[in-house]
Amino acid sequence: MERIAKQNGWYMTWAKDGGLEITHGPSPVVLTHRVTGESVWFNQAHLLHKSVAPWTSAWLGPAPSQRLKARMLQPFIKNRFFYHSTHADGSGISLSDLACIRRAVADEMMLFDWQRGDVLLIDNKLVAHGRQPYVPPRTIFAALFADTPRKKRASGLTERVPAVNSNSN
């Protein structure tokens, strides 16, 4: 993990209990799309902020079983596991600014009912993907493709990173 963190410019510290904390420096809020040249919002501060933590029903979903799971997780991870976003200078992002961003995202959101066998292909730089709370069971496979070449290892081999993730709940 230390090698991977160093390669990516992340800062990591080991906690006394053996846990690991990883942080990284500022990420851009806006990127230039490599094909269209458009300036595009490419930021998840509104999602990766401590106001949306894993023990909140907003994170796991509104169903009673999801709210119960969130309450059960809280004592174990409240002081350990959360994402937190700040401005590049380290100052806090106001909850009203986050609410404004979340409203803009919600206003542009397109929802649809998945059917067995559906395939969705999106350009993640032009279309922010997401997911709404759901009632299990469901299985979705996602493949993410890099739009820039992968870094080469010192050995000259391309670093292998799993491209397909399966979320099954």
Side-chain angles (χ1 to χ4, degrees), residues 79-99:
N79 295 320
R80 260 303 333 59
F81 178 78
F82 61 85
Y83 296 103
H84 186 51
S85 298
T86 64
H87 290 289
D89 66 2
S91 63
I93 302 171
S94 74
L95 294 180
S96 63
D97 285 346
L98 292 169

Side-chain angles (χ1 to χ4, degrees), residues 48-121:
L48 304 178
H49 187 270
K50 67 182 178 182
S51 63
V52 183
W55 53 87
T56 66
S57 60
W59 194 76
L60 290 173
S65 63
Q66 292 164 322
R67 289 196 311 269
L68 176 62
K69 184 176 180 180
R71 283 194 301 275
M72 291 173 61
L73 286 173
Q74 184 176 1
F76 302 104
I77 61 176
K78 184 169 184 177
N79 295 320
R80 260 303 333 59
F81 178 78
F82 61 85
Y83 296 103
H84 186 51
S85 298
T86 64
H87 290 289
D89 66 2
S91 63
I93 302 171
S94 74
L95 294 180
S96 63
D97 285 346
L98 292 169
C100 181
I101 295 166
R102 290 175 182 137
R103 272 192 308 278
V105 169
D107 288 348
E108 296 299 319
M109 190 179 306
M110 296 180 71
L111 301 174
F112 60 93
D113 291 325
W114 284 95
Q115 303 296 318
R116 182 177 292 277
D118 279 353
V119 174
L120 175 65
L121 181 64

Side-chain angles (χ1 to χ4, degrees), residues 135-152:
V135 177
R138 84 168 186 183
T139 301
I140 293 180
F141 296 97
L144 305 175
F145 301 97
D147 64 352
T148 58
R150 298 213 186 265
K151 296 177 184 175
K152 299 278 185 178

